[in-house]
Structure formats: structure tokens, C-alpha cells
Amino acid sequence: MKKTLLVDGNNVLLIGFHGTRNLYNNGEHLGGIYHFINTLQKFLVEHNHDKVVVFWDGESNSSIRKSIYPQYKANRRQDMNEYKYESYLYQQSRVKQYLEEIFVRQVEMVNNEADDLIAFYTQIATDEDIIIFSADKDLTQLISERVTIYSPISKQYYKNGDMITINKVDIPHYNVLLTKIFTGDKSDNISGIEGLGEKTLIKYFPQVLEKPCTVEEILDYARNIPQKKPIKTLVNLLEGKTKSTIFGEEFYTTNKKIVDLTNPLITEDGKELVTQILNDTIDPTDRGYKNLMRMMMEDGLFKYLPKDDEAWVNFLKPFMKLIRKEKRNTNKN
């Protein structure tokens, strides 16, 4: 089975952009570029993947979810000044150029979020053994026998059967979706049931830790919990009540639509592009490691490699392996 690495591009770039602050060349910050390429290099050394695909958020990427839930990500504020934002966009553009030279496939489509594009890829790539590189816990919904998550924040692999920590509560990966439907997601401004957090969910519904559950099963169970007097959290749950209003069944319908990556919100153009990236070979014309070396010299990245004669050779080796594999695929066709 082909070993494939799927990378959440914006997630990895932002980690490096904000975390590698003191890496400059001629006064220009290059932390995001160096972190991205160096991280990819180390991962290829460890896993020797046959294919790498980087997914980027497209322009107006939240539009589909906002059409369903207008408050979606309304809490997000630009935390970069104009100078930093221009630097981020430049580094993203430069990373894309690097990836082209090392035969890394890239997916970006207007009106599509990277999470949904990744989710769709995992659905159609049925003959690939996949690792998803991302700190985004939404993607843990996709864990299966052939899909593993690696988080660069916790530095852990999450495999089929593993627990996922959400707000300090361990939830089986197969019930992450269920948990997010009920409790919402503050980072994306998605409301949950008033008074219901992860700990309370487990308190009243311990079966969530034991087996895959559905919303309907939880609601049925809640109706049959003995109550000497009404328990407000359970009343809220049965009424679909958030802090702002009572939505009834619409709460569950809406939340499932916007958080469910097993049914990704992806445009037809997005599906077509992902399918193309999955099946097509890479045109080797004008690509290659020599261009990569030239770019690294232009950006002053070689000076940040270990100080030995073989440093640049060792750095390029995993990329050369990937290039050779992709070229063989092209020649077969």
C-alpha cells in the first residue's frame, strides 16, 4: 500500500512563522519557510513516504459554513500588523515554490477549507496508508485503520482506537464528532449546549467513552435519566438550548453540518481538483533539486544547517528520494 503524507499547510506554516522568530536573511524573516521545509525533511527521513500532498485554505474558505452558520469564525481577528501579514503571505508563496521543486503535490481551491479537502482525499484514496500532519484536532475525526494523525504540538501519533484530549478530557477518536456537535467549538465560534462541556457530557453519558454513539442515542438516553427535579443541563440538551437561544432539533442539524468532516463541505471544483491530485502524475519539466538548492542559497537557509561537509547532501537526500519516486510514477504512465 502506498505511504502518503497529507500536510495541513496553513497550520504548519503558522507554527513556524510565530515560533521560529529569530531566523532572518538580509533583514527578512524566514522562520516560516525554514520551519516548513525542515519539518517536512525530518518527517520524510523518518517515514520515507511515496507521496506528499500539502493542502492550503483557499480564498473565502469559510463561505460555505458561513452560509449555514453566519457566526462561524466571527470571533477571529487579524493578529498581525500589515508588515507581519505581508511577510506571512510572502513566506507562504515561497514555501509553495519550494514544494513545486521537490515534487510535492498541492491542493488549494477558492471557497474550500483545507480540512474538507483533506477529508475528501482520505475518502477517495482507499489504497493509500495515510498520515495527516496537523495540530488541528478536528481532523482526528478521520482516524481509521489506514489514517493516522501526527500532531506537531503534542509530538504524538493518534491511531485507530486512541483517545483525543479535548479541553483536558480524553475522548475516543470515534466520538470526537459527537462531542463537538454537543459542546461546540470556541475557537471557531460554534455554540454548544448551555452548561454542557466535555466533563459534563461524560458524567451523564459514560457510554461515550466505551463505544461509538449517535446524537439520537444520547438524546434518547437523556430522556430516560431519572430526575427528581429538572436538571437544567439535560433540559437544555433536549431543547437544543445555547447561551443565546433555543434552537430545538435545528441545533443538532446545523452543528453536525458544520463540524462533520466525514461529510466534508467541499465544492464540486474542490472534489475535481482533489481527485486530479490523487490520480495524476507530476510533470517533471523545469523542476528539481538544483532549483531547490538555488532557492535555499538565495534565502540563506544553508547557513542554518549543521556545520559539516555533508550537511546539505544529507538535507537533500529525502527530497531526492521523493523526486525519484514521483518520476518513476510519471515514467510508468
Side-chain angles (χ1 to χ4, degrees), residues 196 199-207 221 225 231 233-234:
L196 185 70
K199 287 184 180 179
T200 309
L201 180 69
I202 299 305
K203 172 185 174 182
Y204 288 115
F205 311 103
Q207 62 268 40
Y221 190 86
I225 294 177
I231 300 173
T233 299
L234 295 180

Side-chain angles (χ1 to χ4, degrees), residues 281-299:
T281 57
I282 294 179
D283 181 0
T285 306
D286 296 327
R287 301 174 192 248
Y289 76 95
K290 291 182 180 179
N291 292 336
L292 173 65
M293 291 177 63
R294 174 182 53 78
M295 291 172 65
M296 291 184 68
M297 286 188 284
E298 289 172 354
D299 292 339

Side-chain angles (χ1 to χ4, degrees), residues 169-181:
V169 178
D170 290 336
I171 304 289
H173 70 83
Y174 50 73
N175 279 329
V176 167
L177 169 59
L178 176 90
T179 301
K180 285 186 169 290
I181 291 172

